[in-house]
């Protein structure tokens, strides 16, 4: 269906935007909103179908993965702006509150 194709296209464009953030014309919040809506849409579809193992379930996982990458990447960029002393390196890799929110 067209909605499935649009979800796959959005994930592909989102991955390209994460690969080359300088060329991404879409605001970070718009990407987050897009994948929240996509995950909710296909989550509802999976619930209606009564299975999480079908195509809708796979798109829920895909949307969640995109959110995770968006939020962790954003938090990581904010925490690793400069050189990190070896004794503080574990703080820079902690992921931040956005990663914790998506994980929960």
């Amino acid at each position: 269906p067209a909605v499935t194709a649009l979800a796959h296209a959005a994930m592909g464009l989102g991955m390209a935007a994460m690969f080359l953030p300088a060329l991404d014309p879409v605001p970070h919040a718009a990407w987050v909103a897009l994948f929240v809506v996509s995950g909710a849409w296909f989550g509802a579809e999976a619930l209606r179908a009564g299975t999480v193992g079908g195509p809708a379930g796979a798109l829920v996982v895909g949307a969640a993965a995109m959110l995770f990458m968006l939020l962790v990447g954003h938090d990581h960029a904010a925490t690793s702006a400069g050189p990190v002393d070896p004794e503080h390196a574990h703080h820079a890799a902690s992921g931040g509150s956005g990663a914790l929110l998506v994980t929960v």
Side-chain angles (χ1 to χ4, degrees):
V3 176
T4 302
L6 287 172
H8 282 108
M11 283 190 268
L13 291 172
M15 286 185 247
M18 284 185 257
F19 183 70
L20 292 171
L23 299 178
D24 180 15
V26 180
H28 182 79
W31 284 117
V32 171
L34 173 71
F35 292 117
V36 165
V37 169
S38 177
W41 177 277
F42 289 106
E45 189 174 306
L47 288 174
R48 279 192 303 270
T51 180
V52 294
L59 287 167
V60 170
V61 171
M66 293 300 292
L67 283 169
F68 182 79
M69 290 184 287
L70 279 165
L71 296 176
V72 169
H74 182 70
D75 287 348
H76 180 69
T79 60
S80 62
V84 178
D85 296 325
E87 64 269 15
H88 294 108
H90 62 279
H91 294 295
S94 65
S97 61
L100 178 61
L101 176 65
V102 172
T103 303
V104 171

